Amino acid sequence: MTQDVEMKDKENPSNSLSSPFTPSTLHHLKEIASLMETGAHAREVRRIMRAVRLTMALRRKLKAPVLSAFLNFALAPGSEAHSRLLSYLPKEDEHEMEVDTASSGAPAPAKHPLPELEIYCYLLVLIFLIDKKRYNEAKACSSASIARLKNMNRRTVDVLAARLYFYYSLCYELTGDLAEIRGNLLALHRIATLRHDELGQETLLNLLLRNYLHYNLYDQAEKLRSKAPRFEAHSNQQFCRYLFYLGKIRTIQLEYTDAKESLLQAARKAPVAALGFRVQCNKWAIIVRLLLGEIPERTVFMQKGMEKALRPYFELTNAVRIGDLELFKSVAEKFSSTFSSDRTNNLIVRLRHNVIRTGLRNISISYSRISLADVAKKLRLDSANPVADAESIVSKAIRDGAIDATVDHANGWMVSKETGDIYSTNEPQLAFNSRIAFCLNMHNEAVRALRFPPNSHKEKESAEKRRERQQQEQELAKHIAEEDDDEF
Amino acid sequence: MDPKLTEVSQQFDRFKAAMTRKDYNTCTQLLSQLKVLLTGFRSLPPLFEDTPNAIRELTLARDIYEHAVLLSVKVEDQDAFERDFFQLKPYYTDAGKRLPPSPNEYMILGLNLLRLLVQNRIAEFHTELELLSSTALENPCIKHAVELEQSFMEGAYNRVLSAKQNVPNETYGYFMDLLAKTVRDEIAGCSEKAYDYLSIKDAGQMLLFTSDQELLEYVKEEHPEWEMKDGFVFFQKAKDSAPCKEIPSLQLINQTLSYARELERIV
């Protein structure tokens, strides 16, 4: 049965492709549609995923006449979705469109379209509208599709739905009305949870976090994040985003160690093509590392394509490294517009205290004994009572473990302690242990992540099947790269 | 005018009169009645229904909650402050665009920041800070709190204490007093790590005590491990300086065994 449909679909293009517009795009679209149909009948989610991936490769070639031809092919003419979707497309080439309806409308099977196909058409039109910057139509189209989705409960639709959610939120963000859809997204997340649609949950959770963070609502974001169900990530892209948002939330809430971990992981996991995303991750990661008292290596700032964007952060790092308050202030002022557009201004204000710490550490290493008045002078503390300030700052640094020293109040000086031989302690053993544990853990995770084809040990696959599978794998590899490109 | 609205505003006038008389007991009673009455309005959060009187009701409710926050400062009740502040917050964030801005907004937000600082809830402090616009950060009330936090993190406690003299609003006094207490605890914590010993006179000065007697009582209550001898305070006892020379054999054995097990699994 499935094969029949496929055959018929494949014949269609050759008949109808005499029309004046690019034949290959429509042809591809129809192939994707047939792939989706087989996927839907066999309930194979993977096929649908592949179809979506193939679509993204076509994204730049989409044009209004091609789309309307495809709509005529895939949806029953006169159905609600058909007329609604057509109304979103620009009308300038009406004439061509009619020609096309005449040629391809006739051979199209007059059957009730699959819900997958209908949703897929919504997705196509939506992507087209966003690419053409017709945001108001895109908003209307996405809202209609979301309304339709709420009444559909099919696992094979989930993949498409997740994509639709993403574009739904994107077009509202582009017009600056993110707050409007927050309630709707929450409702969708609830529905996805009830239906065990994990990909949908993942996508929606990220969209919600993005929504909250857009308005700096870190409190709400953290509350949602900590209460939402967690499971193993289905999509690498969504997982990257989640890590990035998590890192941001933790940075604001002063959990720098955890924040650093998630931000670095997000930067590392992100695909190479997603340059903007990686730059953002790096910016935040640099600040978090500075706040932790670490100095990021120079190579971080020299990554390909990022030198220019990370320049302000490089100078900032330099100021912190030297421990010079004046330089730090001038850098912060010089790039204040960059920092405020990155929304890192408040974090940089927090850094002031790290600059003092680094300066103090340098002093403590260079001198075995120094008067507090000199400390104040070197740190350039401009206050009414510099010695008293220096004394309390030094004592706080000692308590926090930043420097190893004692203060002699009667004489007004700071005495640095001799640094002991680290190899006489358990420190090296602990470091060794944590590294070994990391490697072993990595190996175990890698083993666990290996995926085996189902039933491969039971039945030997036929030659034909193997060929099909290999072809699929090749395509998968090819398109994963393209998908990365598209998603960010 | 809506009779319900008139009733609430009359009640609120009585409340304000009691507040100026400093009759805080009456205030608290009137306030709980007011809060019950406010639940009758459907235009208030969380419903936000668009009733004809919505704007007037929202403004009145905001005014009431602002006074409630101030009242809680006057009666020095931090829990009530937190409760009332959270009830007030939606009026600033969610209804902010529909109402004319309140003159007290920044003052109250600054108070809240100060409260978080006093309670040493720094993470929440920064979360709140992110919500403020750059114009809000320029406001003296907010700026005051932000600068306090910076000095506090740096360890410049003198600056924190001197800030008490130039508070932007008289209601800030209560929290500034509390802050002094927090600062004292911090100084005590730092001192015991930074100094080997201090003369009792210096210690008293640093911890902001006017007499030695107060210091003695404080030490007895908060830091019984400090030793007072010959006019000096010795912190040495609080430090466990002796480094552990022993080899943690059991732990080492466990680790080595686990490496062996993991390696075996790989090979």
Side-chain angles (χ1 to χ4, degrees), chain A residues 264-285:
Chain A
L264 286 181
Q265 208 183 349
R268 248 180 248 137
K269 273 192 186 256
V272 187
L275 187 66
F277 179 80
R278 283 193 300 136
V279 169
Q280 280 301 322
C281 285
N282 271 305
K283 282 178 180 172
W284 279 76

Side-chain angles (χ1 to χ4, degrees), chain A residues 228-398:
Chain A
R230 286 297 301 153
F231 33 78
E232 242 167 69
H234 284 255
S235 144
N236 182 42
Q237 279 85 357
Q238 296 301 340
F239 189 52
C240 284
R241 288 204 186 95
Y242 176 77
L243 285 174
F244 177 56
Y245 299 140
L246 179 63
K248 271 174 111 168
I249 295 172
R250 284 179 170 166
T251 312
I252 295 302
Q253 304 199 327
L254 294 107
E255 295 166 32
Y256 298 135
T257 322
D258 297 340
K260 178 186 139 197
E261 205 169 288
S262 5
L263 285 169
L264 286 181
Q265 208 183 349
R268 248 180 248 137
K269 273 192 186 256
V272 187
L275 187 66
F277 179 80
R278 283 193 300 136
V279 169
Q280 280 301 322
C281 285
N282 271 305
K283 282 178 180 172
W284 279 76
I286 289 168
I287 293 198
V288 168
R289 293 182 67 181
L290 287 177
L291 282 168
L292 273 171
E294 297 174 21
I295 304 293
E297 310 81 29
R298 192 170 275 265
T299 46
V300 172
F301 302 97
M302 297 299 154
Q303 292 175 72
K304 215 170 139 233
M306 294 189 199
E307 296 98 333
K308 203 156 161 275
L310 293 183
R311 187 80 209 167
Y313 293 87
F314 176 67
E315 295 197 15
L316 197 70
T317 309
N318 223 3
V320 177
R321 189 176 59 86
I322 302 170
D324 186 340
L325 266 185
E326 297 290 320
L327 182 64
F328 173 73
K329 258 186 223 156
S330 72
V331 172
E333 255 161 52
K334 189 169 149 202
F335 296 108
S336 65
S337 59
T338 324
F339 294 145
S340 61
S341 69
D342 288 345
R343 300 208 253 176
T344 47
N345 242 344
N346 285 337
L347 296 176
I348 285 163
V349 172
R350 287 190 211 172
L351 266 178
R352 189 188 131 86
H353 134 87
N354 284 63
V355 179
I356 296 179
R357 277 285 157 85
T358 329
L360 201 56
R361 206 177 303 151
N362 288 344
I363 294 173
S364 140
I365 291 170
S366 345
Y367 298 88
S368 59
R369 192 170 73 191
I370 184 170
S371 77
L372 290 168
D374 284 343
V375 172
K377 216 183 287 166
K378 277 184 188 297
L379 291 177
R380 299 200 228 184
L381 298 172
D382 42 350
S383 61
N385 191 355
V387 179
D389 271 1
E391 187 168 353
S392 54
I393 288 173
V394 168
S395 54
K396 185 156 199 273
I398 294 173

